[in-house]
Amino acid sequence: MAVIQIDTSTYTQQLNEKQQRISEQFARFNAPKLEVYDSPTTQYRQRAEFRVWHEGEDLFHIMFDQQTKQKIRVDRFDPAAPLISEIMQVMMDKLRHNEVLRRKLFQIDYLSTLSGEILVSLLYHKALDDTWQEAMQQLRAELQQTYKIDFIGRARKQKVIFGNDFVTEVLNVNGKEYTYQQVENSFTQPNAKVNEKMLAWAQSICAPLKNDLLELYCGNGNFSIALAGSFEKVLATEISKSSVHSAQYNIAANNISNLDIIRMSSEEFTQAMKGERSFSRLNGINLQDYNCQTILVDPPRAGMDELTCRLVANYDNVIYISCNPDTLERDLELLCETHTISRIAIFDQFPYTHHVESGVFLQRK
């Protein structure tokens, strides 16, 4: 069996290296001592994607070495959540001898949860005809006797759903459970246990702040849902239609009554706040009704554009979640003209890699 194994003995060292690197990178902002939140050392990823390799009668997952580009057979993947590792083997056992389902299959994506649900997406270089769909229905019916599992088949201009195209995650944050719909091909935090720590950190900041919260780039409401209890009202924006749909689902699932989510980019919201443009999407929402003294941003790797950065600087309290320390550093150059860093943390979402998730809490000088 080909296993992608992790040398867990290196974990502490690699986390210490990240801590040192980030501490040095942000020392010039007079930041306080860095808070460090570790990850489980194995079985921490709730998402995984693999190419599928056909070799005679055999069929198996592969990955490519980033340096050598050589293919690596993967029968078990230690970073993956236990449910993914188990279903990987089940899928190969079922597909290997099923000509209808295996032919022209080139990739499998797995999305799992701490709550025991898993969604498997199969990608093909062929049309998914009635024969394929019947075979897929039979496989799902068989596996559903043991697992909470759904499937999606994808081919050119085709998406066939068997069950749901999402999983429902349940996260425990400071002793309270939060429910999140996570849709296939939409952004979700891959390391659920570290995400719980990140949400708890944000709650510890927000608990004494009161007033109202504005969140930009809210995704499926990951932060908004968990923080709504700390504020009178929460207004959040997100540009992705599927993420907004999930966020609305999550608001209802968690019985939250003080959270509104609107589908707008951060640039559009900046224009609306300045009165430069009106948007029909804001019908029924009066921005003047909100007393937002706190803003939370969780932008993509590119960070924030300068106009959004200057909008953010208007708020007394700024919580900035970042997946890219370099764009965070760039944006802090502007934000630290008016604010000081009260807390700074790293969350080891991506163990054994160079990547690190950061959190910064800034308060007006």
Side-chain angles (χ1 to χ4, degrees), residues 44-48 111-114 167 169 171 180-183 186-199 215 217-223 296-300 321-323 347-350 356-358:
Y44 47 82
R45 283 195 65 89
Q46 302 297 331
R47 294 200 314 256
L111 174 62
S112 73
T113 64
L114 297 175
V167 291
E169 179 62 289
L171 299 179
Y180 293 94
Q181 182 190 81
Q182 299 182 341
V183 177
S186 294
F187 175 77
T188 54
Q189 298 288 351
N191 190 325
K193 285 297 182 183
V194 172
N195 189 28
E196 288 178 334
K197 294 180 180 182
M198 194 159 59
L199 294 175
E215 181 181 358
Y217 320 93
C218 76
N220 70 342
N222 183 55
F223 283 97
L296 187 149
V297 292
D298 185 5
I321 307 296
S322 170
C323 60
F347 309 92
D348 201 18
Q349 283 271 5
F350 311 98
V356 64
E357 194 94 356
S358 307

Side-chain angles (χ1 to χ4, degrees), residues 18 40 51 73 113 176 184 234 238 261 265 299 333 349:
K18 288 180 180 179
R51 298 302 292 265
R73 177 170 177 155
T113 64
K176 183 175 179 180
E184 182 241 15
V234 180
E238 170 57 46
I261 292 180
S265 69
E333 287 183 2
Q349 283 271 5

Side-chain angles (χ1 to χ4, degrees), residues 170-344:
V170 179
L171 299 179
N172 189 303
V173 185
N174 285 325
K176 183 175 179 180
E177 290 188 340
Y178 296 90
T179 299
Y180 293 94
Q181 182 190 81
Q182 299 182 341
V183 177
E184 182 241 15
N185 268 2
S186 294
F187 175 77
T188 54
Q189 298 288 351
N191 190 325
K193 285 297 182 183
V194 172
N195 189 28
E196 288 178 334
K197 294 180 180 182
M198 194 159 59
L199 294 175
W201 179 83
Q203 282 186 345
S204 72
I205 289 171
C206 292
L209 297 181
K210 310 303 179 189
N211 296 302
D212 299 335
L213 170 69
L214 171 65
E215 181 181 358
L216 307 183
Y217 320 93
C218 76
N220 70 342
N222 183 55
F223 283 97
S224 302
I225 298 291
L227 298 179
S230 296
F231 296 93
E232 294 177 18
K233 294 195 291 289
V234 180
L235 180 64
T237 72
E238 170 57 46
I239 189 61
S240 162
K241 280 186 179 180
S242 63
S243 292
V244 170
H245 183 270
S246 289
Q248 300 290 5
Y249 175 100
N250 295 336
I251 290 171
N254 291 281
N255 298 312
I256 292 173
S257 58
N258 64 335
L259 169 57
D260 287 312
I261 292 180
I262 50 179
R263 192 175 73 81
M264 305 184 85
S265 69
S266 61
E267 293 84 356
E268 288 172 331
F269 186 79
T270 301
Q271 292 171 331
M273 286 294 289
K274 288 183 162 186
E276 295 174 355
R277 283 180 65 188
S278 59
F279 295 87
S280 60
R281 282 165 281 172
L282 285 172
N283 287 348
I285 293 178
N286 183 356
L287 296 179
Q288 307 311 314
D289 288 344
Y290 289 84
N291 179 24
C292 295
Q293 297 177 18
T294 302
I295 186 168
L296 187 149
V297 292
D298 185 5
R301 289 192 62 78
M304 296 189 290
D305 65 279
E306 186 176 345
L307 283 177
T308 303
C309 228
R310 297 207 176 274
L311 170 72
V312 168
N314 290 324
Y315 293 81
D316 291 344
N317 308 301
V318 179
I319 304 168
Y320 191 142
I321 307 296
S322 170
C323 60
N324 184 343
D326 294 334
T327 53
L328 173 61
E329 181 184 12
R330 179 202 67 202
D331 292 346
L332 285 180
E333 287 183 2
L334 191 153
L335 293 174
C336 285
E337 292 175 5
T338 51
H339 290 67
T340 57
I341 298 176
S342 296
R343 291 177 66 179
I344 182 169

Side-chain angles (χ1 to χ4, degrees), residues 123-135:
L123 285 64
Y124 287 88
H125 288 308
K126 69 173 182 181
L128 306 179
D129 58 16
D130 291 345
T131 303
W132 179 89
Q133 294 188 37
E134 184 178 335

